[in-house]
Amino acid sequence: MLLMTQLHIDIARNSTDDFNLFHDKSRWHWLRGNPFEGPIALGFQLGCFIEYQCKLLDMNGASDIDPEQFRFSAYEFSFANCVRPDDEVSLSVKSGKWSNGDGPSIFSRRLILKANKKPAIIGHKREANDMTLPLPSKLPPMHMLNDLSDRDLVPGTKYFLKRKYMIVGNAKNFLASAGAEQSLFIDEFADKVDFPEMYPLGLISSALLERAVFEDIDLISHPMIYASQKLCIDKRQLEELRSNDAINILVGPDISDDANEFGPESSNKKLVIQECVAYGKEEKPLFIAKVCLIPLNSLIKAKSE
């Protein structure tokens, strides 16, 4: 269990460069009609709490399998409610099941993250030996990314490039923001650097915000909040990353049904869906993500109906 505080939220923001005003203790009210009436925790910060709690279960032999035998970790989250400062955060995880489909075998555990005993995130933690998300189409070649300018569209594509760096200090702070024991991941005395899976994934928020700024979207008048996340990360690649290694995050355009009908700032827009792909040192993706966001204007309109 974790007692969420504003300090936890601030640490998570600072370690991932997430400047979304939903998390700002002094400026959350700049978002007109903000239904949360105060700052809220970061989605990926809560994901890190989930990752840590699942790790503890595995270490204590509470899991039916050894996650280390799988190359990929996947998470599917649906956000049912927010987590505020002074909320007690807890996680319940059900026994895992193997998939019965025609594709590769996947071991899946259903989970519920609760804030003050009420569901905030409902989803799954999955283990697989193949990516659980398809690679988006028309991606630029990985080998050209390091030579491109940061915070710009990749020439000839609709993908926005955000370059981030794996920083041990930031990863340790991100772990602290989720109430995690840092030495289980990073221990200088043991020459151990195992970045948590949610740390590079948590940089997605910064990349999304940077793309919005690039597109001149007014993040005060037209903010967005996560509705759901589908995430898959290559654990083998993650193990090879060290401090100051660069990762190139590609943020795709909105692919929702009404992406071409309404502009990104339209109050009529109900959902924004974006695909993100990150590359580290290899030609294969470090992670693939598909995130769904709800514009605040749409959320307010839905609550009033």
Side-chain angles (χ1 to χ4, degrees), residues 75-161:
Y75 301 84
E76 291 188 15
F77 299 148
S78 294
F79 293 85
N81 212 330
C82 64
V83 175
R84 300 175 174 87
D86 298 325
D87 280 355
E88 288 188 347
V89 182
S90 60
L91 182 72
S92 62
V93 182
K94 294 187 177 182
S95 297
K97 295 182 179 180
W98 290 96
S99 62
N100 297 318
D102 297 330
S105 295
I106 298 175
F107 186 78
S108 179
R109 289 179 280 183
R110 182 170 173 80
L111 57 87
I112 301 177
L113 181 143
K114 296 181 179 180
N116 295 337
K117 300 182 179 180
K118 295 182 180 180
I121 296 177
I122 301 170
H124 293 86
K125 169 76 165 70
R126 307 189 195 278
E127 317 292 340
N129 279 318
D130 294 283
M131 272 284 182
T132 59
L133 291 171
L135 193 65
S137 61
K138 300 180 180 179
L139 284 173
M142 174 270 179
H143 60 79
M144 70 180 288
L145 299 180
N146 285 328
D147 297 326
L148 298 177
S149 299
D150 182 26
R151 294 186 294 184
D152 204 350
L153 289 179
V154 177
T157 79
K158 295 182 179 181
Y159 285 93
F160 177 81
L161 173 62

Coordinates of all heavy atoms in Angstrom, one line a residue, residues 75-161:
Y75 N 1.4 -4.3 -20.6 CA 0.4 -3.8 -19.7 C -0.8 -3.3 -20.5 O -0.6 -2.6 -21.5 CB 1.0 -2.7 -18.9 CG 2.2 -3.0 -18.0 CD1 3.5 -3.0 -18.6 CD2 2.1 -3.4 -16.7 CE1 4.6 -3.3 -17.9 CE2 3.2 -3.7 -15.9 CZ 4.5 -3.7 -16.5 OH 5.6 -4.0 -15.8
E76 N -2.0 -3.5 -19.9 CA -3.2 -2.9 -20.5 C -4.0 -2.3 -19.3 O -4.4 -3.0 -18.4 CB -4.1 -4.0 -21.2 CG -3.5 -4.5 -22.5 CD -4.4 -5.4 -23.2 OE1 -5.6 -5.4 -22.9 OE2 -3.9 -6.1 -24.1
F77 N -4.1 -1.0 -19.4 CA -4.8 -0.2 -18.3 C -6.0 0.5 -18.9 O -5.9 1.2 -19.9 CB -3.8 0.8 -17.7 CG -2.6 0.2 -17.1 CD1 -1.4 1.0 -17.1 CD2 -2.6 -1.0 -16.5 CE1 -0.2 0.5 -16.5 CE2 -1.4 -1.5 -15.9 CZ -0.3 -0.8 -15.9
S78 N -7.1 0.5 -18.1 CA -8.2 1.3 -18.3 C -8.4 2.2 -17.1 O -8.5 1.6 -16.0 CB -9.5 0.5 -18.6 OG -9.4 -0.2 -19.8
F79 N -8.5 3.5 -17.2 CA -8.5 4.4 -16.1 C -9.9 4.7 -15.7 O -10.7 5.3 -16.5 CB -7.7 5.7 -16.4 CG -6.3 5.5 -16.6 CD1 -5.8 5.0 -17.9 CD2 -5.4 5.6 -15.6 CE1 -4.4 4.8 -18.0 CE2 -4.0 5.4 -15.7 CZ -3.5 5.0 -17.0
A80 N -10.3 4.2 -14.5 CA -11.7 4.3 -14.1 C -11.9 5.5 -13.2 O -13.0 6.1 -13.1 CB -12.1 3.1 -13.3
N81 N -10.8 6.0 -12.5 CA -10.8 7.1 -11.6 C -9.4 7.6 -11.4 O -8.5 7.0 -11.8 CB -11.5 6.7 -10.3 CG -12.3 7.8 -9.6 OD1 -11.9 9.0 -9.8 ND2 -13.3 7.5 -8.9
C82 N -9.3 8.8 -10.8 CA -8.0 9.3 -10.5 C -7.5 9.0 -9.1 O -8.3 8.6 -8.3 CB -8.0 10.9 -10.8 SG -9.1 11.7 -9.6
V83 N -6.2 9.3 -8.9 CA -5.6 9.2 -7.6 C -5.1 10.5 -7.2 O -4.4 11.2 -7.9 CB -4.4 8.2 -7.6 CG1 -3.7 8.1 -6.2 CG2 -4.9 6.8 -8.0
R84 N -5.5 11.0 -6.0 CA -5.2 12.3 -5.5 C -4.3 12.2 -4.3 O -4.1 11.2 -3.7 CB -6.5 13.0 -5.0 CG -7.6 13.2 -6.1 CD -8.8 13.8 -5.5 NE -9.8 14.1 -6.5 CZ -10.7 13.3 -7.0 NH1 -10.8 12.1 -6.6 NH2 -11.6 13.7 -7.9
P85 N -3.6 13.3 -4.0 CA -2.8 13.3 -2.7 C -3.7 12.9 -1.5 O -4.9 13.3 -1.4 CB -2.4 14.8 -2.6 CG -2.4 15.3 -4.0 CD -3.5 14.6 -4.7
D86 N -3.1 12.2 -0.6 CA -3.7 11.6 0.6 C -4.5 10.4 0.3 O -5.1 9.9 1.3 CB -4.5 12.7 1.3 CG -3.6 13.9 1.8 OD1 -2.5 13.6 2.2 OD2 -4.1 15.0 1.8
D87 N -4.6 9.9 -0.9 CA -5.3 8.7 -1.2 C -4.4 7.5 -0.8 O -3.2 7.5 -1.0 CB -5.6 8.5 -2.7 CG -6.9 9.3 -3.1 OD1 -7.5 9.9 -2.2 OD2 -7.2 9.4 -4.3
E88 N -5.0 6.4 -0.3 CA -4.3 5.2 -0.1 C -4.4 4.3 -1.3 O -5.5 4.0 -1.8 CB -4.9 4.5 1.1 CG -4.5 5.1 2.5 CD -5.0 4.3 3.7 OE1 -5.7 3.3 3.5 OE2 -4.5 4.6 4.8
V89 N -3.3 3.9 -1.9 CA -3.3 3.2 -3.1 C -2.9 1.7 -2.8 O -1.9 1.5 -2.1 CB -2.2 3.8 -4.1 CG1 -2.3 3.0 -5.5 CG2 -2.5 5.3 -4.4
S90 N -3.7 0.8 -3.4 CA -3.4 -0.6 -3.2 C -3.6 -1.4 -4.5 O -4.3 -0.8 -5.4 CB -4.3 -1.2 -2.1 OG -5.7 -1.0 -2.4
L91 N -3.1 -2.6 -4.6 CA -3.3 -3.4 -5.8 C -3.7 -4.8 -5.4 O -3.1 -5.4 -4.5 CB -1.9 -3.4 -6.5 CG -1.9 -4.2 -7.9 CD1 -2.7 -3.4 -8.9 CD2 -0.5 -4.4 -8.3
S92 N -4.6 -5.3 -6.2 CA -5.0 -6.7 -6.1 C -4.8 -7.4 -7.4 O -5.1 -6.8 -8.5 CB -6.5 -6.9 -5.7 OG -7.3 -6.3 -6.7
V93 N -4.1 -8.5 -7.4 CA -3.8 -9.3 -8.6 C -4.3 -10.7 -8.6 O -4.1 -11.4 -7.6 CB -2.2 -9.3 -8.8 CG1 -1.9 -10.0 -10.1 CG2 -1.6 -7.9 -8.8
K94 N -5.0 -11.1 -9.6 CA -5.6 -12.4 -9.7 C -4.6 -13.4 -10.2 O -3.6 -13.0 -10.8 CB -6.9 -12.4 -10.5 CG -8.0 -11.6 -9.9 CD -9.3 -11.8 -10.7 CE -10.5 -11.0 -10.0 NZ -11.8 -11.2 -10.7
S95 N -4.9 -14.7 -10.0 CA -4.0 -15.7 -10.5 C -4.0 -15.6 -12.1 O -5.0 -15.3 -12.7 CB -4.6 -17.1 -10.1 OG -4.5 -17.2 -8.7
G96 N -2.9 -16.0 -12.6 CA -2.7 -15.8 -14.1 C -3.3 -16.9 -14.9 O -3.6 -18.0 -14.4
K97 N -3.5 -16.6 -16.2 CA -4.0 -17.6 -17.1 C -3.3 -17.6 -18.4 O -2.8 -16.5 -18.8 CB -5.5 -17.3 -17.4 CG -6.4 -17.5 -16.2 CD -7.9 -17.2 -16.6 CE -8.8 -17.4 -15.4 NZ -10.2 -17.2 -15.7
W98 N -3.2 -18.7 -19.1 CA -2.6 -18.7 -20.4 C -3.6 -18.5 -21.5 O -4.8 -18.9 -21.3 CB -1.9 -20.1 -20.7 CG -0.7 -20.4 -19.8 CD1 -0.7 -21.1 -18.6 CD2 0.6 -20.0 -20.1 NE1 0.6 -21.1 -18.2 CE2 1.4 -20.5 -19.1 CE3 1.2 -19.3 -21.2 CZ2 2.8 -20.2 -19.1 CZ3 2.6 -19.1 -21.2 CH2 3.4 -19.5 -20.1
S99 N -3.2 -17.8 -22.5 CA -4.1 -17.5 -23.6 C -4.4 -18.8 -24.4 O -3.6 -19.6 -24.5 CB -3.5 -16.4 -24.5 OG -2.3 -16.9 -25.1
N100 N -5.6 -18.8 -25.0 CA -6.0 -20.0 -25.7 C -6.1 -19.8 -27.2 O -6.7 -20.6 -27.9 CB -7.3 -20.6 -25.2 CG -7.2 -21.0 -23.7 OD1 -6.3 -21.6 -23.3 ND2 -8.2 -20.6 -22.9
G101 N -5.6 -18.6 -27.7 CA -5.8 -18.3 -29.1 C -4.8 -19.0 -30.0 O -4.1 -19.9 -29.5
D102 N -4.9 -18.6 -31.2 CA -4.0 -19.3 -32.2 C -2.6 -18.7 -32.3 O -1.7 -19.2 -32.9 CB -4.7 -19.2 -33.6 CG -6.0 -19.9 -33.7 OD1 -6.1 -20.9 -32.9 OD2 -6.9 -19.5 -34.5
G103 N -2.5 -17.5 -31.7 CA -1.2 -16.8 -31.7 C -0.2 -17.4 -30.6 O -0.4 -18.4 -30.1
P104 N 0.9 -16.6 -30.4 CA 1.9 -17.0 -29.4 C 1.3 -17.1 -28.0 O 0.3 -16.3 -27.7 CB 3.0 -16.0 -29.5 CG 2.3 -14.8 -30.1 CD 1.2 -15.3 -31.0
S105 N 1.8 -18.0 -27.1 CA 1.3 -18.1 -25.8 C 1.6 -16.8 -25.0 O 2.7 -16.3 -25.0 CB 1.9 -19.3 -25.1 OG 1.5 -20.5 -25.8
I106 N 0.6 -16.4 -24.2 CA 0.7 -15.2 -23.4 C 0.2 -15.6 -22.0 O -0.9 -16.1 -21.9 CB -0.1 -14.0 -24.0 CG1 0.5 -13.6 -25.3 CG2 0.0 -12.8 -23.0 CD1 -0.3 -12.5 -26.0
F107 N 0.9 -15.2 -21.0 CA 0.5 -15.4 -19.6 C 0.0 -14.1 -19.1 O 0.7 -13.1 -19.2 CB 1.6 -15.9 -18.7 CG 1.2 -16.3 -17.3 CD1 0.6 -17.5 -17.1 CD2 1.4 -15.4 -16.3 CE1 0.2 -17.8 -15.8 CE2 1.1 -15.7 -15.0 CZ 0.4 -17.0 -14.8
S108 N -1.3 -14.1 -18.6 CA -1.9 -12.8 -18.3 C -2.5 -12.8 -16.9 O -3.1 -13.8 -16.4 CB -3.1 -12.6 -19.3 OG -3.7 -11.4 -19.0
R109 N -2.3 -11.7 -16.1 CA -2.8 -11.6 -14.8 C -3.7 -10.3 -14.8 O -3.3 -9.3 -15.2 CB -1.7 -11.4 -13.7 CG -1.0 -12.7 -13.5 CD 0.1 -12.5 -12.5 NE 1.3 -11.9 -13.1 CZ 2.5 -11.7 -12.4 NH1 2.5 -11.9 -11.1 NH2 3.5 -11.1 -13.1
R110 N -4.9 -10.5 -14.3 CA -5.9 -9.4 -14.2 C -5.6 -8.6 -12.9 O -5.2 -9.3 -11.9 CB -7.3 -9.9 -14.2 CG -8.3 -8.7 -14.1 CD -9.8 -9.3 -14.4 NE -10.8 -8.3 -14.1 CZ -11.1 -7.3 -15.0 NH1 -10.5 -7.2 -16.2 NH2 -12.0 -6.4 -14.7
L111 N -5.7 -7.3 -12.9 CA -5.3 -6.5 -11.7 C -6.3 -5.4 -11.6 O -6.9 -4.9 -12.6 CB -3.9 -6.0 -11.8 CG -3.5 -5.2 -13.1 CD1 -3.8 -3.7 -12.9 CD2 -2.0 -5.4 -13.4
I112 N -6.4 -4.9 -10.4 CA -7.2 -3.7 -10.1 C -6.4 -2.9 -9.1 O -6.0 -3.3 -8.0 CB -8.6 -4.1 -9.4 CG1 -9.4 -4.9 -10.4 CG2 -9.3 -2.8 -9.1 CD1 -10.7 -5.4 -9.7
L113 N -6.1 -1.6 -9.5 CA -5.5 -0.7 -8.6 C -6.6 0.2 -8.0 O -7.5 0.7 -8.7 CB -4.5 0.2 -9.3 CG -3.7 1.3 -8.5 CD1 -2.3 1.4 -9.0 CD2 -4.5 2.6 -8.5
K114 N -6.6 0.3 -6.7 CA -7.6 1.0 -6.0 C -7.1 2.2 -5.2 O -5.9 2.2 -4.7 CB -8.3 0.1 -5.0 CG -9.1 -1.1 -5.6 CD -9.8 -1.9 -4.6 CE -10.6 -3.1 -5.3 NZ -11.3 -3.9 -4.3
A115 N -7.9 3.3 -5.2 CA -7.6 4.5 -4.4 C -8.7 4.6 -3.3 O -9.8 4.7 -3.7 CB -7.5 5.7 -5.3
N116 N -8.3 4.5 -2.1 CA -9.2 4.5 -1.0 C -10.3 3.4 -1.2 O -11.5 3.7 -1.1 CB -9.9 5.9 -0.8 CG -8.9 6.9 -0.4 OD1 -7.8 6.6 0.2 ND2 -9.2 8.1 -0.6
K117 N -9.8 2.2 -1.7 CA -10.7 1.0 -1.9 C -11.7 1.1 -3.0 O -12.5 0.3 -3.2 CB -11.4 0.7 -0.6 CG -10.5 0.4 0.6 CD -11.3 0.0 1.9 CE -10.4 -0.3 3.0 NZ -11.1 -0.7 4.2
K118 N -11.5 2.2 -3.9 CA -12.3 2.3 -5.1 C -11.5 2.1 -6.3 O -10.4 2.7 -6.4 CB -13.0 3.6 -5.1 CG -14.0 3.8 -4.0 CD -14.7 5.2 -4.1 CE -15.7 5.4 -2.9 NZ -16.4 6.7 -3.0
P119 N -11.9 1.3 -7.3 CA -11.1 1.1 -8.5 C -10.7 2.4 -9.2 O -11.5 3.3 -9.5 CB -12.0 0.3 -9.4 CG -13.0 -0.4 -8.4 CD -13.2 0.6 -7.4
A120 N -9.4 2.5 -9.5 CA -8.8 3.6 -10.3 C -8.3 3.1 -11.6 O -8.4 3.8 -12.6 CB -7.8 4.3 -9.5
I121 N -7.7 1.9 -11.6 CA -7.2 1.3 -12.8 C -7.6 -0.2 -12.9 O -7.4 -0.9 -11.9 CB -5.6 1.4 -13.0 CG1 -5.2 2.9 -13.0 CG2 -5.1 0.6 -14.2 CD1 -3.7 3.0 -13.1
I122 N -8.1 -0.6 -14.0 CA -8.5 -2.0 -14.2 C -7.7 -2.4 -15.4 O -7.7 -1.7 -16.4 CB -10.0 -2.1 -14.4 CG1 -10.8 -1.6 -13.2 CG2 -10.4 -3.6 -14.7 CD1 -12.3 -1.5 -13.4
G123 N -7.1 -3.6 -15.3 CA -6.3 -4.0 -16.5 C -5.6 -5.3 -16.3 O -6.1 -6.2 -15.5
H124 N -4.5 -5.5 -17.1 CA -3.8 -6.8 -17.1 C -2.3 -6.5 -17.1 O -1.8 -5.5 -17.7 CB -4.2 -7.6 -18.3 CG -5.6 -8.1 -18.3 ND1 -6.6 -7.4 -18.7 CD2 -6.1 -9.3 -17.9 CE1 -7.8 -8.1 -18.6 NE2 -7.5 -9.2 -18.1
K125 N -1.6 -7.4 -16.6 CA -0.1 -7.5 -16.7 C 0.2 -8.8 -17.5 O -0.3 -9.9 -17.0 CB 0.6 -7.5 -15.4 CG 2.1 -7.9 -15.4 CD 2.9 -6.7 -15.9 CE 4.4 -6.9 -15.6 NZ 5.0 -7.9 -16.4
R126 N 0.8 -8.7 -18.6 CA 1.0 -9.9 -19.5 C 2.5 -10.2 -19.7 O 3.4 -9.3 -19.6 CB 0.4 -9.7 -20.8 CG -1.1 -9.3 -20.7 CD -1.8 -9.4 -22.1 NE -3.0 -8.7 -22.1 CZ -4.2 -9.2 -21.8 NH1 -4.2 -10.5 -21.3 NH2 -5.3 -8.5 -21.8
E127 N 2.9 -11.5 -19.9 CA 4.2 -11.9 -20.2 C 4.2 -12.6 -21.5 O 3.3 -13.5 -21.7 CB 4.8 -12.8 -19.1 CG 4.5 -12.4 -17.7 CD 5.2 -11.1 -17.3 OE1 6.2 -10.8 -17.9 OE2 4.8 -10.5 -16.3
A128 N 5.1 -12.4 -22.4 CA 5.1 -13.0 -23.7 C 6.5 -13.0 -24.3 O 7.4 -12.4 -23.8 CB 4.1 -12.2 -24.7
N129 N 6.6 -13.8 -25.3 CA 7.9 -13.9 -26.1 C 7.9 -13.2 -27.4 O 8.8 -13.3 -28.2 CB 8.4 -15.4 -26.2 CG 9.0 -15.9 -24.9 OD1 9.8 -15.2 -24.3 ND2 8.7 -17.1 -24.6
D130 N 6.8 -12.5 -27.7 CA 6.6 -11.7 -28.9 C 5.9 -10.4 -28.5 O 5.2 -10.4 -27.5 CB 5.8 -12.4 -29.9 CG 6.5 -13.7 -30.5 OD1 7.4 -13.5 -31.3 OD2 6.1 -14.8 -30.1
M131 N 6.2 -9.4 -29.2 CA 5.4 -8.1 -29.0 C 3.9 -8.4 -29.1 O 3.4 -9.1 -30.0 CB 5.8 -7.1 -30.1 CG 7.0 -6.3 -29.7 SD 6.7 -5.0 -28.5 CE 8.3 -4.2 -28.4
T132 N 3.2 -7.8 -28.1 CA 1.8 -8.0 -28.1 C 1.0 -6.9 -28.8 O -0.2 -7.0 -29.0 CB 1.3 -8.0 -26.6 OG1 1.6 -6.8 -26.0 CG2 1.9 -9.2 -25.8
L133 N 1.8 -6.0 -29.4 CA 1.2 -4.9 -30.2 C 1.8 -4.9 -31.6 O 3.0 -5.1 -31.7 CB 1.4 -3.5 -29.5 CG 0.6 -3.3 -28.2 CD1 1.1 -2.0 -27.6 CD2 -0.9 -3.2 -28.5
P134 N 1.0 -4.7 -32.6 CA 1.6 -4.6 -33.9 C 2.4 -3.4 -34.2 O 2.1 -2.3 -33.6 CB 0.4 -4.6 -34.9 CG -0.7 -4.0 -34.0 CD -0.4 -4.5 -32.6
L135 N 3.4 -3.5 -35.0 CA 4.2 -2.3 -35.3 C 3.4 -1.4 -36.2 O 2.9 -1.8 -37.3 CB 5.5 -2.8 -36.0 CG 6.6 -1.7 -36.2 CD1 7.2 -1.3 -34.8 CD2 7.8 -2.3 -37.0
P136 N 3.3 -0.1 -35.9 CA 2.5 0.8 -36.8 C 3.2 0.9 -38.2 O 4.4 0.6 -38.3 CB 2.7 2.2 -36.0 CG 2.9 1.8 -34.6 CD 3.7 0.5 -34.6
S137 N 2.4 1.3 -39.1 CA 2.8 1.3 -40.5 C 3.5 2.6 -40.8 O 3.4 3.6 -40.1 CB 1.6 1.2 -41.4 OG 0.7 2.2 -41.2
K138 N 4.3 2.6 -41.9 CA 5.0 3.8 -42.4 C 6.0 4.4 -41.4 O 6.1 5.6 -41.4 CB 4.0 4.8 -42.9 CG 3.1 4.2 -44.0 CD 2.1 5.3 -44.5 CE 1.2 4.7 -45.6 NZ 0.2 5.7 -46.1
L139 N 6.6 3.6 -40.6 CA 7.6 4.1 -39.7 C 8.9 4.4 -40.4 O 9.3 3.7 -41.4 CB 7.9 3.1 -38.6 CG 6.9 2.9 -37.5 CD1 7.3 1.7 -36.6 CD2 6.8 4.1 -36.6
P140 N 9.6 5.5 -40.0 CA 10.9 5.8 -40.6 C 11.9 4.7 -40.2 O 11.8 4.1 -39.1 CB 11.3 7.1 -40.1 CG 10.5 7.2 -38.8 CD 9.3 6.4 -39.0
P141 N 13.0 4.5 -41.0 CA 14.0 3.5 -40.6 C 14.7 3.9 -39.3 O 15.0 5.1 -39.0 CB 15.0 3.6 -41.7 CG 14.3 4.2 -42.9 CD 13.3 5.1 -42.3
M142 N 14.9 3.0 -38.4 CA 15.5 3.3 -37.1 C 16.9 3.9 -37.2 O 17.3 4.8 -36.5 CB 15.6 2.0 -36.3 CG 16.3 2.1 -34.9 SD 18.1 1.8 -35.0 CE 18.6 2.0 -33.3
H143 N 17.7 3.4 -38.2 CA 19.1 3.9 -38.3 C 19.2 5.4 -38.6 O 20.3 5.9 -38.4 CB 19.8 3.0 -39.3 CG 19.3 3.1 -40.7 ND1 19.5 4.2 -41.5 CD2 18.5 2.3 -41.4 CE1 18.9 4.0 -42.7 NE2 18.3 2.9 -42.6
M144 N 18.2 6.0 -39.1 CA 18.3 7.4 -39.5 C 17.9 8.3 -38.3 O 18.2 9.5 -38.4 CB 17.4 7.7 -40.7 CG 15.9 7.7 -40.4 SD 14.9 8.0 -41.8 CE 15.1 9.8 -42.0
L145 N 17.4 7.8 -37.2 CA 16.8 8.7 -36.2 C 17.8 9.5 -35.4 O 17.6 10.6 -35.1 CB 15.9 7.8 -35.2 CG 14.8 7.1 -35.8 CD1 14.0 6.3 -34.8 CD2 13.8 8.0 -36.5
N146 N 19.0 8.9 -35.1 CA 20.0 9.6 -34.3 C 20.5 10.8 -35.1 O 21.1 11.7 -34.4 CB 21.1 8.7 -34.0 CG 20.7 7.7 -32.9 OD1 19.9 8.0 -32.0 ND2 21.3 6.5 -32.9
D147 N 20.4 10.9 -36.4 CA 20.9 12.0 -37.1 C 19.9 13.1 -37.3 O 20.2 14.1 -37.9 CB 21.4 11.5 -38.5 CG 22.6 10.5 -38.4 OD1 23.4 10.7 -37.5 OD2 22.6 9.6 -39.2
L148 N 18.7 12.9 -36.8 CA 17.6 13.8 -37.0 C 17.5 14.8 -35.8 O 17.9 14.5 -34.7 CB 16.3 13.1 -37.2 CG 16.2 12.2 -38.5 CD1 14.8 11.5 -38.5 CD2 16.4 13.0 -39.7
S149 N 16.9 15.9 -36.1 CA 16.7 16.9 -35.0 C 15.6 16.4 -34.0 O 14.6 15.8 -34.4 CB 16.2 18.3 -35.6 OG 17.2 18.8 -36.5
D150 N 15.9 16.7 -32.8 CA 14.9 16.4 -31.7 C 13.7 17.4 -31.8 O 13.8 18.5 -32.3 CB 15.6 16.6 -30.3 CG 14.7 16.3 -29.2 OD1 13.7 15.5 -29.4 OD2 14.9 16.9 -28.1
R151 N 12.5 16.9 -31.5 CA 11.3 17.7 -31.4 C 10.9 18.2 -32.8 O 10.7 19.4 -33.0 CB 11.4 18.8 -30.4 CG 11.5 18.3 -29.0 CD 11.5 19.5 -28.0 NE 12.6 20.3 -28.1 CZ 12.9 21.4 -27.3 NH1 12.0 21.7 -26.3 NH2 13.9 22.1 -27.4
D152 N 10.8 17.3 -33.7 CA 10.5 17.7 -35.1 C 9.8 16.5 -35.8 O 10.0 15.4 -35.4 CB 11.7 18.2 -35.9 CG 11.3 19.1 -37.0 OD1 10.1 19.2 -37.3 OD2 12.2 19.7 -37.6
L153 N 9.1 16.8 -36.9 CA 8.5 15.7 -37.7 C 9.7 15.0 -38.4 O 10.5 15.7 -39.0 CB 7.5 16.2 -38.6 CG 6.1 16.6 -38.0 CD1 5.2 17.1 -39.1 CD2 5.5 15.5 -37.2
V154 N 9.6 13.7 -38.5 CA 10.6 13.0 -39.3 C 10.2 13.2 -40.8 O 9.1 13.1 -41.2 CB 10.5 11.4 -39.0 CG1 11.5 10.7 -39.9 CG2 10.8 11.2 -37.6
P155 N 11.2 13.7 -41.6 CA 10.9 14.0 -43.0 C 10.2 12.9 -43.7 O 10.6 11.7 -43.6 CB 12.3 14.2 -43.6 CG 13.2 14.7 -42.4 CD 12.6 13.9 -41.2
G156 N 9.2 13.3 -44.4 CA 8.4 12.3 -45.2 C 7.4 11.5 -44.5 O 6.8 10.6 -45.1
T157 N 7.2 11.8 -43.2 CA 6.3 11.0 -42.4 C 5.5 12.0 -41.5 O 5.7 13.2 -41.5 CB 7.0 10.0 -41.4 OG1 7.5 10.7 -40.3 CG2 8.2 9.3 -42.1
K158 N 4.5 11.4 -40.8 CA 3.7 12.1 -39.8 C 4.1 11.8 -38.4 O 3.4 12.2 -37.4 CB 2.2 11.8 -40.0 CG 1.7 12.2 -41.4 CD 0.2 11.9 -41.5 CE -0.4 12.4 -42.8 NZ -1.8 12.1 -42.9
Y159 N 5.3 11.2 -38.2 CA 5.8 10.9 -36.9 C 6.7 12.0 -36.3 O 7.6 12.5 -37.0 CB 6.6 9.6 -36.9 CG 5.7 8.4 -37.1 CD1 5.4 7.8 -38.3 CD2 5.1 7.8 -35.9 CE1 4.5 6.7 -38.4 CE2 4.3 6.7 -36.0 CZ 4.0 6.2 -37.3 OH 3.2 5.1 -37.4
F160 N 6.4 12.3 -35.1 CA 7.1 13.3 -34.3 C 8.2 12.6 -33.5 O 8.0 11.6 -32.9 CB 6.2 14.1 -33.4 CG 6.8 15.1 -32.5 CD1 7.1 16.4 -33.0 CD2 7.1 14.8 -31.2 CE1 7.7 17.3 -32.2 CE2 7.7 15.8 -30.3 CZ 8.0 17.0 -30.8
L161 N 9.4 13.2 -33.6 CA 10.6 12.5 -32.9 C 10.9 13.3 -31.6 O 11.1 14.5 -31.6 CB 11.8 12.5 -33.8 CG 13.1 12.1 -33.1 CD1 13.0 10.6 -32.7 CD2 14.3 12.3 -34.1

